[in-house]
Amino acid sequence: MQVCGKCKIRIEEGEFEKFGIESRASHAGAWQDSESASIGAEERLAGYRLGCVATVRSELLVFVPEASRAGKQVVSKAARQIQIDLDPAIKHYVIDVKEPTLEDSTADLERVLEALEKQHGLSALLCDIFALRSLPRALRAGDWQIIVSIWMDREIIRFRPGRQFTGYGLAIDIGTTTLAAYLCDLNTGKVLDTLSMMNPQVRYGEDVVSRITYHMGNPEGLARMSADLVDALNQMIEQALCGGEGLSSGDENPGPGGPARISREDILDVTIGCNTAMHHILLQLDPEPLGSIPFTPVVHHSLDVKARDLGLRVNASANVFFLPNTAGYVGGDNIGVILAEAPHLRDGIQLIIDIGTNGELVLGNRNQLICASCATGPALEGAQIEFGMRAAPGAIERVAIDPNTHEVDYKVIGRDAWRSYSAPEAMQTRGICGSGILDVLAQLFLAGIVGKNGAFTADARRSARFRKNPQTGIKEFVLAWANETIIAKDIVITQKDIRQIQLAKASIYTGCKLMMRRLNLSTVDRVKIAGAFGTHVDRGLALVMGMFPDAPLETVTCVGNAAGDGCRIVLLDRKKRLEADRICRSVTYIELTLEPDFQHQLIEATQLPHMTDAFPHLREASERCRFKKIE
Amino acid sequence: MQVCGKCKIRIEEGEFEKFGIESRASHAGAWQDSESASIGAEERLAGYRLGCVATVRSELLVFVPEASRAGKQVVSKAARQIQIDLDPAIKHYVIDVKEPTLEDSTADLERVLEALEKQHGLSALLCDIFALRSLPRALRAGDWQIIVSIWMDREIIRFRPGRQFTGYGLAIDIGTTTLAAYLCDLNTGKVLDTLSMMNPQVRYGEDVVSRITYHMGNPEGLARMSADLVDALNQMIEQALCGGEGLSSGDENPGPGGPARISREDILDVTIGCNTAMHHILLQLDPEPLGSIPFTPVVHHSLDVKARDLGLRVNASANVFFLPNTAGYVGGDNIGVILAEAPHLRDGIQLIIDIGTNGELVLGNRNQLICASCATGPALEGAQIEFGMRAAPGAIERVAIDPNTHEVDYKVIGRDAWRSYSAPEAMQTRGICGSGILDVLAQLFLAGIVGKNGAFTADARRSARFRKNPQTGIKEFVLAWANETIIAKDIVITQKDIRQIQLAKASIYTGCKLMMRRLNLSTVDRVKIAGAFGTHVDRGLALVMGMFPDAPLETVTCVGNAAGDGCRIVLLDRKKRLEADRICRSVTYIELTLEPDFQHQLIEATQLPHMTDAFPHLREASERCRFKKIE
């Protein structure tokens, strides 16, 4: 039997783990000859099988690698155009070196150091040992003229013959659920490519607490989670090298994207921003103390770690810069958001809401900045929602509901025409993703299908799309009929889903409100919504849903992946690395759950807001949003 | 068939290499079941076989690992008692850290840094990422009291709970032919153990030039030679951990020495001294330019390299300090000799002769120091001598020849009684090692068996011990009859051997003379003989042989492994690390082969010296040495 090999999966541990690999694999049936063409000896040992021929014989934990997942994720973490002063940590210097003679046979490195001092005024330089290995050849191949790449005017990390220099950097934003990487040209500052994929750690738990728990229960858990993340980052690096298509892991085998267009050796700098738990797990710093009071991180300040010590397959001498951690639940990604939105440099009060698996909030201006974290859960990213999915073709990304007929119109990723302008079978709908989830609750509310408490109304019960699920008994509302889908099932939003969304938005709203109370503010000058789908959020619907306190719509902006922007900023402007540590020291972290009244406020905030005069901007937003399709 | 597994060997490459491992192994016959008990799957892939069952089917290059060699080498690189100021690079600090609370949940590292500043006045510290991994657990296990180990008051490399601290260091002297390592207690400065073994690179060539040639002819040669040396160093580290007996490579399997007596994690510092070629090969720095004019090294100054970047299996955060290189053929081992003998701090003129595979010479005092290298070849270490062997039980280490009877008396390593006081069969002689080789030429000369030109005299021809080898036609002199040996063969010294020894001593003598000419000196205040067998050299016989210019015997001392002492000095006294770089910058390297008259001088020096009044001290030495057994 010939098979295509696209459904490679890896069998993870289970209760049978103690019987070893052979036994583990046999829980998915005997090895088939047809698997050998796609799965090499090494992968076979690692537990890889083909999903189409392996048979499940007992309970299994299976990992589906990125390459085997249906539908390539839509890059929702695209790089914004932001103003960055180009002053990278890596600088290149061309030098002419005097050739040694018998009379003066001073060593290569001492000659180079002398030339760097005389020709460029650089002194007290260190040289990475891996870089030093290429010096003798570079000098002789370049006829004693070479380019020296120096990190932070402190450490030589590369020697190359000649005069022409290229150098790239990667800014990586590690989210609990998704990863994004920006490949930048260090000479121009231009973003050459944007890569994104799922965080492979999701199989150890959707949120950071479950990953910390996994670590606590498994002696090898931390190393394993770290290694999985490093593997994923290396996959993104391969994609970057091959122009976004390659997925292979060796230079010899550049994968479907064809030969590598840039060399691994040319990636000279990496910056990483992530929440504190991801930071600790990636660096294999014990995250256990993050999981319990007083949520103490291992380290606040920024770190420089050799790429080779992390296992990142870029230039071995490259240093990886980690943005500093503010607190146990507010990490370097939040510092990145602050660097990108710069509330600390402005007079106006900004409220920045970074929506991810955890919500991170920043409030203040140049005089004072406070930050907090709220446990939104992964609902807003499509997880733990009955038909939730990530932003991939076929995912519902926009929803509009007619308040009179309760008819649903929607748009899916990968198709320009809305449902009402399409033949049903043309929609090929698969599920609902983050931005669709944000829309749907506001639209259900505006259409009168759910009430202020989030429960289906009496009105809803008259709708043809409302029903009680015969199996589960849970009430649900049909968004897409089976004939519009590729899964041949009605796509619904359930009462349980609505509760998840309510909890997520309530935690954000409560956080905003308690922070404003801390600073004695009743209004703010700007509200900024950041995050993976930050650019896709409908500001009006978010206000209607009650995700943040009432504000004039024109002061609300969506800023996209501001954390990723912050990673790019420190990649391209070394001065911002010091600024990042200064921000980290000056911003005050508020532990929301310890604020008086927190529980009460949270429960209050699960309600959908009233349309009263107390919320003038909300009323205006409601009017604008009512069954209006958003462009 | 049951086999003991003690004759493990590794089949190296040959012309059949291109056919792969399977084919390679088959040149030593089919795999035998009996081999599986001693050779695991990994070793089997690496080409290991048992010498007793594998059969040679075609030309093979075979590596005999240290553990498989007959006779444990006698540690001739034993540590001397030298005065060292105890001020190691690693210092330990006990601190009390404030436990975090919800009101103050500052990160672990920031707490530690604050305590180090307040309690010990240390600031601007870095922390190695591998060390940081152990911080959270150490703090909590130690109830917020920990010991911090800091390198050069600059970088934290270890956190441990509690108050009791231990820490060890390794000073490693890497010779072209032999390796020596001193395990030192960093708290007391005491040498706990001395380890030595052969440099595994000898299979790529006896001297540094042939290893450079191997690198030039093999794309993987440099990496392979480096890896072999790292493997050997790791074996010595295992021995150090297990008290000198363990040879296994994993913590799980501590080997015949029983469980490790000290932990790998407790080895916190390593210093290495070696010649420039060994330095470059170990660090994988291209040694090719060392092989041709103008013999330029890659780097002079000392280097600090992470142990993990070298692959040394000590504490992963440990730094390895490499002594600086003076020139292409005078390396860090020579700087070590200077540190140990301190000519740069004294008024008297010292001539230091470090005998190894290369001879390294230092001449001068506090006003001026010059150094040079002479290609002695490995003869003085027992290599390229017909019955040459390393210093192991059964090796002739002392020789005395009666000028009247031409009878030979000798002593072997491992037996106190000389031949003349023993039954022949009690000697169990195997060969002749370095110190025996140094003795034998002078004794042959003093007994009139060889003449001033090194040829056997007419007198010799009358000796029962003289003969022409029936196979090779080469003249030889019997040192030990077959019945005194364990190899059932007469042990002889051949005319060819004598030429090798003459060349070796001539190159040393010429070097000394040309250097003295450079400094306009006719005499020196002290002659010091250093090297692997430095403590075993008979000063009088060395003078008779003409190894160095005439000098009063009481000014000649043997200083043993001074290079290794230098490695210990920088291990235990960090101030000496700076001094090493200062010495390296101030000592002048002389390229002997470019000195006017070099060739002529060298040929002259192959002669054995005349007994004229021009050599008063030599005459005295000769009288003292004539058929006198040395204690």
Side-chain angles (χ1 to χ4, degrees):
Chain A
M1 181 176 65
Q2 267 236 318
V3 293
C4 73
K6 284 183 182 160
C7 62
K8 248 190 237 181
I9 50 116
R10 193 170 76 211
I11 298 176
E12 297 291 324
E13 84 284 18
E15 56 187 20
F16 48 84
E17 192 179 26
K18 57 182 175 291
F19 304 114
I21 284 156
E22 281 310 315
S23 156
R24 184 202 302 185
S26 76
H27 281 249
W31 180 262
Q32 303 293 311
D33 285 343
S34 53
E35 293 177 278
S36 299
S38 329
I39 298 174
E42 205 173 313
E43 282 190 331
R44 184 175 170 182
L45 270 173
Y48 278 90
R49 298 295 303 270
L50 288 187
C52 64
V53 300
T55 49
V56 177
R57 297 229 183 133
S58 73
E59 219 173 306
L60 284 178
L61 178 58
V62 165
F63 169 57
V64 185
E66 185 69 16
S68 303
R69 295 184 197 175
K72 188 170 146 46
Q73 182 163 31
V74 171
V75 175
S76 55
K77 292 197 170 187
R80 275 191 307 160
Q81 284 288 355
I82 48 171
Q83 184 57 43
I84 305 177
D85 185 15
L86 191 61
D87 178 18
I90 305 297
K91 298 262 164 67
H92 309 286
Y93 299 90
V94 175
I95 51 169
D96 289 294
V97 181
K98 236 176 57 191
E99 195 173 344
T101 61
L102 263 173
E103 288 66 46
D104 172 18
S105 64
T106 304
D108 291 349
L109 182 58
E110 273 75 7
R111 281 172 190 279
V112 165
L113 294 175
E114 193 193 338
L116 283 167
E117 178 143 23
K118 279 200 184 153
Q119 294 165 37
H120 297 283
L122 293 161
S123 60
L125 292 172
L126 298 170
C127 178
D128 184 77
I129 184 67
F130 284 68
L132 188 56
R133 289 176 181 162
S134 63
L135 176 59
R137 207 144 290 197
L139 275 173
R140 285 152 186 90
D143 203 17
W144 304 91
Q145 184 176 75
I146 54 167
I147 307 151
V148 186
S149 302
I150 301 180
W151 174 78
M152 299 295 273
D153 285 345
R154 210 184 304 162
E155 184 191 41
I156 297 172
I157 63 158
R158 195 182 198 191
F159 298 104
R160 264 170 303 174
R163 287 190 155 280
Q164 282 246 305
F165 46 82
T166 47
Y168 304 96
L170 272 175
I172 304 177
D173 161 36
I174 299 177
T176 308
T177 307
T178 56
L179 314 175
Y182 305 99
L183 176 70
C184 300
D185 185 323
L186 293 178
N187 297 324
T188 63
K190 222 181 115 187
V191 177
L192 301 178
D193 204 353
T194 302
L195 300 314
S196 80
M197 64 186 283
M198 293 291 277
N199 186 332
Q201 295 177 353
V202 292
R203 70 174 169 283
Y204 305 111
E206 296 282 351
D207 53 31
V208 298
V209 173
S210 50
R211 298 199 200 151
I212 295 169
T213 308
Y214 180 79
H215 152 64
M216 288 163 64
N218 295 275
E220 296 301 314
L222 184 56
R224 185 180 297 182
M225 286 191 286
S226 175
D228 281 351
L229 187 47
V230 169
D231 278 354
L233 297 180
N234 279 329
Q235 277 182 46
M236 290 207 292
I237 290 165
E238 292 306 322
Q239 289 174 29
L241 295 181
C242 301
E245 288 302 319
L247 268 167
S248 83
S249 55
D251 278 335
E252 312 83 306
N253 178 15
R261 68 182 173 161
I262 66 173
S263 149
R264 189 188 305 293
E265 295 302 307
D266 285 335
I267 300 187
L268 298 175
D269 203 7
V270 179
T271 57
I272 293 182
C274 44
N275 64 52
T276 309
M278 292 303 105
H279 172 281
H280 282 30
I281 292 172
L282 175 57
L283 286 167
Q284 294 189 48
L285 301 173
D286 187 356
E288 185 172 339
L290 296 180
S292 56
I293 286 174
F295 316 113
T296 316
V298 177
V299 55
H300 288 301
H301 65 67
S302 64
L303 293 176
D304 295 304
V305 178
K306 283 281 167 198
R308 60 179 180 262
D309 283 337
L310 273 181
L312 286 191
R313 296 199 287 104
V314 295
N315 188 303
S317 301
N319 292 292
V320 179
F321 174 84
F322 283 84
L323 279 160
N325 302 310
T326 307
Y329 281 93
V330 178
D333 50 355
N334 193 249
I335 300 287
V337 167
I338 296 174
L339 281 173
E341 299 309 321
H344 62 301
L345 303 178
R346 308 249 153 77
D347 290 322
I349 300 277
Q350 294 191 18
L351 169 63
I352 309 173
I353 304 166
D354 187 14
I355 306 173
T357 310
N358 263 27
E360 287 173 5
L361 308 171
V362 174
L363 178 68
N365 65 356
R366 68 165 81 243
N367 301 319
Q368 188 175 16
L369 270 189
I370 62 174
C371 68
S373 163
C374 48
T376 50
L380 299 186
E381 296 187 295
Q384 294 182 354
I385 295 291
E386 185 84 25
F387 286 89
M389 66 176 286
R390 63 204 179 112
I396 297 174
E397 58 168 345
R398 288 271 86 97
V399 178
I401 303 176
D402 187 320
N404 301 314
T405 63
H406 292 184
E407 255 322 278
V408 176
D409 203 359
Y410 65 88
K411 190 192 165 302
V412 296
I413 292 176
R415 180 173 175 83
D416 288 335
W418 282 65
R419 163 69 191 89
S420 52
Y421 294 99
S422 309
E425 61 279 11
M427 292 309 287
Q428 305 272 310
T429 311
R430 282 178 187 278
I432 183 164
C433 71
S435 54
I437 290 165
L438 279 175
D439 280 8
V440 77
L441 180 56
Q443 286 287 343
L444 286 169
F445 176 65
L446 289 173
I449 296 164
V450 302
K452 141 182 196 289
N453 61 357
F456 286 110
T457 58
D459 205 26
R461 286 159 215 266
R462 285 191 300 272
S463 167
R465 288 178 176 262
F466 175 83
R467 67 191 183 201
K468 217 178 216 170
N469 185 297
Q471 267 107 54
T472 62
I474 294 172
K475 291 165 194 158
E476 60 191 30
F477 184 84
V478 179
L479 296 176
W481 298 107
N483 66 339
E484 303 159 21
T485 74
I486 201 166
I487 56 174
K489 273 200 278 195
D490 295 343
I491 290 171
V492 304
I493 187 99
T494 71
Q495 185 69 68
K496 216 172 127 221
D497 294 341
I498 291 169
R499 292 283 173 233
Q500 294 288 338
I501 306 167
Q502 276 180 286
L503 274 173
K505 75 102 186 172
S507 72
I508 295 172
Y509 183 90
T510 308
C512 296
K513 227 179 137 197
L514 293 176
M515 285 170 78
M516 286 169 69
R517 188 173 76 184
R518 261 289 183 110
L519 296 192
N520 265 321
L521 297 170
S522 55
T523 59
V524 299
D525 299 310
R526 306 281 305 195
V527 176
K528 292 180 171 177
I529 303 173
F533 43 80
T535 46
H536 298 275
V537 172
D538 181 77
R539 301 168 296 168
L541 289 175
L543 187 54
V544 167
M545 188 169 80
M547 200 165 76
F548 49 85
D550 193 35
L553 264 195
E554 62 275 15
T555 66
V556 181
T557 44
C558 294
V559 297
N561 185 14
D565 293 338
C567 297
R568 276 198 295 143
I569 289 171
V570 289
L571 179 68
L572 297 172
D573 183 1
R574 53 195 266 185
K575 297 181 296 295
K576 295 289 178 179
R577 298 184 180 193
L578 290 173
E579 194 171 317
D581 276 316
R582 277 199 302 271
I583 293 169
C584 181
R585 282 191 299 269
S586 64
V587 65
T588 306
Y589 172 72
I590 311 290
E591 179 54 50
L592 290 176
T593 56
L594 298 179
E595 289 292 294
D597 211 22
F598 169 76
Q599 278 304 330
H600 174 74
Q601 293 272 354
L602 183 67
I603 291 161
E604 278 264 294
T606 57
Q607 303 276 318
L608 291 156
H610 285 282
M611 300 296 155
T612 69
D613 286 337
F615 297 92
H617 308 299
L618 174 60
R619 174 171 298 276
E620 181 201 336
S622 303
E623 292 309 320
R624 280 174 54 177
C625 294
R626 204 176 290 264
F627 195 48
K628 188 183 144 282
K629 282 172 218 156
I630 304 98
E631 299 313 303
Chain B
M1 182 175 64
Q2 267 238 317
V3 293
C4 73
K6 283 185 182 161
C7 62
K8 247 190 238 180
I9 49 119
R10 193 170 75 211
I11 298 178
E12 297 290 324
E13 85 284 17
E15 56 188 21
F16 48 84
E17 194 179 25
K18 56 181 174 294
F19 304 113
I21 284 157
E22 280 310 314
S23 156
R24 182 202 302 186
S26 76
H27 281 248
W31 180 263
Q32 304 292 313
D33 284 344
S34 53
E35 294 177 278
S36 301
S38 328
I39 298 175
E42 205 174 312
E43 283 190 331
R44 184 175 171 181
L45 269 174
Y48 278 91
R49 300 294 303 270
L50 287 187
C52 64
V53 298
T55 49
V56 177
R57 297 228 182 133
S58 73
E59 220 172 303
L60 283 179
L61 178 59
V62 165
F63 170 58
V64 185
E66 185 69 18
S68 302
R69 296 185 195 174
K72 189 170 146 44
Q73 181 165 31
V74 171
V75 175
S76 55
K77 294 197 169 185
R80 277 191 306 161
Q81 283 286 355
I82 48 172
Q83 185 56 43
I84 304 177
D85 186 14
L86 191 62
D87 179 19
I90 305 297
K91 299 262 164 67
H92 309 285
Y93 299 90
V94 175
I95 51 169
D96 288 294
V97 181
K98 235 175 59 192
E99 194 172 344
T101 60
L102 263 174
E103 289 66 44
D104 171 19
S105 65
T106 303
D108 291 349
L109 182 58
E110 273 76 7
R111 280 172 191 280
V112 165
L113 293 175
E114 192 193 339
L116 283 167
E117 179 143 22
K118 280 200 183 153
Q119 294 165 36
H120 298 283
L122 294 161
S123 60
L125 292 171
L126 298 170
C127 178
D128 184 78
I129 183 67
F130 283 69
L132 188 55
R133 289 176 182 163
S134 63
L135 175 59
R137 205 144 293 195
L139 275 173
R140 285 153 187 91
D143 202 17
W144 304 91
Q145 183 175 78
I146 54 167
I147 307 150
V148 185
S149 302
I150 301 180
W151 174 78
M152 299 294 273
D153 285 345
R154 210 184 304 161
E155 184 190 41
I156 297 171
I157 64 158
R158 195 181 198 191
F159 298 104
R160 264 170 303 175
R163 289 190 154 280
Q164 282 246 306
F165 47 83
T166 47
Y168 303 96
L170 272 175
I172 304 178
D173 161 35
I174 299 177
T176 308
T177 308
T178 54
L179 314 175
Y182 306 99
L183 176 70
C184 300
D185 186 322
L186 293 178
N187 297 326
T188 63
K190 221 181 117 187
V191 177
L192 301 179
D193 204 352
T194 302
L195 301 312
S196 80
M197 64 185 284
M198 294 289 278
N199 186 331
Q201 295 177 352
V202 293
R203 71 173 167 285
Y204 305 112
E206 296 281 352
D207 53 30
V208 298
V209 174
S210 50
R211 297 196 203 154
I212 295 170
T213 308
Y214 180 78
H215 153 61
M216 288 162 64
N218 295 275
E220 295 302 314
L222 184 58
R224 186 181 298 181
M225 287 191 285
S226 175
D228 280 352
L229 187 48
V230 169
D231 277 355
L233 297 179
N234 280 329
Q235 276 183 47
M236 290 207 293
I237 290 166
E238 292 306 321
Q239 288 174 31
L241 295 181
C242 300
E245 289 301 319
L247 268 168
S248 83
S249 55
D251 278 335
E252 312 82 307
N253 177 17
R261 73 184 167 158
I262 66 173
S263 151
R264 189 186 306 292
E265 295 302 307
D266 284 336
I267 300 187
L268 297 175
D269 203 7
V270 179
T271 58
I272 292 182
C274 44
N275 65 51
T276 310
M278 292 304 105
H279 173 280
H280 282 29
I281 292 172
L282 175 56
L283 287 167
Q284 295 188 49
L285 300 173
D286 186 358
E288 186 172 339
L290 297 179
S292 56
I293 287 174
F295 316 113
T296 317
V298 177
V299 56
H300 288 300
H301 65 67
S302 63
L303 293 176
D304 296 304
V305 178
K306 282 283 165 197
R308 60 179 180 260
D309 283 337
L310 274 181
L312 286 191
R313 296 199 286 105
V314 296
N315 188 302
S317 301
N319 292 292
V320 180
F321 174 84
F322 283 84
L323 278 160
N325 301 311
T326 307
Y329 281 93
V330 178
D333 50 355
N334 193 250
I335 300 286
V337 168
I338 296 175
L339 280 173
E341 299 310 319
H344 64 300
L345 302 178
R346 308 249 153 77
D347 289 322
I349 299 278
Q350 293 192 19
L351 169 63
I352 310 172
I353 304 166
D354 187 14
I355 305 173
T357 311
N358 264 26
E360 287 172 5
L361 309 172
V362 175
L363 177 67
N365 66 356
R366 67 165 81 240
N367 301 318
Q368 187 175 15
L369 269 190
I370 62 175
C371 68
S373 162
C374 47
T376 50
L380 301 184
E381 295 187 295
Q384 295 183 352
I385 296 291
E386 186 81 25
F387 286 89
M389 65 176 287
R390 63 206 180 109
I396 297 175
E397 57 166 347
R398 289 272 85 100
V399 179
I401 303 176
D402 188 318
N404 302 312
T405 63
H406 292 185
E407 256 322 278
V408 177
D409 204 359
Y410 64 88
K411 187 190 167 305
V412 295
I413 293 177
R415 181 173 173 82
D416 288 334
W418 282 65
R419 162 69 190 92
S420 52
Y421 294 100
S422 309
E425 62 279 9
M427 293 308 289
Q428 305 271 311
T429 312
R430 282 177 187 277
I432 181 164
C433 71
S435 54
I437 290 165
L438 279 174
D439 280 8
V440 76
L441 181 56
Q443 288 286 342
L444 286 169
F445 176 66
L446 289 173
I449 295 163
V450 301
K452 142 183 196 278
N453 62 357
F456 284 110
T457 58
D459 204 29
R461 286 160 215 266
R462 287 191 299 272
S463 168
R465 289 178 175 261
F466 175 84
R467 67 190 182 201
K468 217 177 216 169
N469 185 297
Q471 267 106 57
T472 62
I474 295 172
K475 293 164 192 159
E476 59 189 33
F477 183 85
V478 178
L479 294 176
W481 299 108
N483 67 338
E484 302 160 19
T485 74
I486 201 166
I487 58 175
K489 272 200 278 194
D490 294 343
I491 289 171
V492 303
I493 188 100
T494 72
Q495 185 68 68
K496 218 173 123 220
D497 293 342
I498 292 170
R499 292 284 173 230
Q500 294 288 340
I501 305 168
Q502 276 180 285
L503 274 172
K505 75 103 186 172
S507 72
I508 295 172
Y509 183 89
T510 309
C512 295
K513 231 182 132 193
L514 293 177
M515 286 172 78
M516 287 170 69
R517 191 173 74 183
R518 262 287 185 112
L519 296 191
N520 265 322
L521 297 170
S522 56
T523 58
V524 299
D525 299 311
R526 305 282 305 198
V527 176
K528 291 181 171 176
I529 303 172
F533 43 79
T535 45
H536 298 275
V537 172
D538 181 77
R539 301 168 297 168
L541 289 176
L543 187 54
V544 166
M545 186 170 79
M547 200 164 77
F548 50 85
D550 193 36
L553 264 196
E554 61 274 18
T555 65
V556 181
T557 42
C558 295
V559 295
N561 184 16
D565 292 339
C567 296
R568 275 199 294 143
I569 288 170
V570 288
L571 179 68
L572 297 172
D573 183 0
R574 53 193 267 186
K575 297 181 296 295
K576 295 289 178 180
R577 299 185 179 192
L578 290 174
E579 195 171 317
D581 276 316
R582 277 200 301 272
I583 293 169
C584 182
R585 282 191 299 269
S586 64
V587 65
T588 306
Y589 172 72
I590 310 289
E591 180 53 48
L592 291 175
T593 56
L594 298 179
E595 289 291 294
D597 213 23
F598 171 76
Q599 278 303 331
H600 174 75
Q601 293 272 356
L602 183 67
I603 292 161
E604 280 263 293
T606 57
Q607 304 276 318
L608 290 157
H610 287 281
M611 298 299 156
T612 70
D613 286 340
F615 298 91
H617 308 299
L618 174 59
R619 174 170 298 274
E620 180 202 339
S622 303
E623 293 309 321
R624 280 175 51 178
C625 293
R626 205 176 289 265
F627 196 48
K628 185 181 147 284
K629 281 173 222 157
I630 305 96
E631 298 315 302

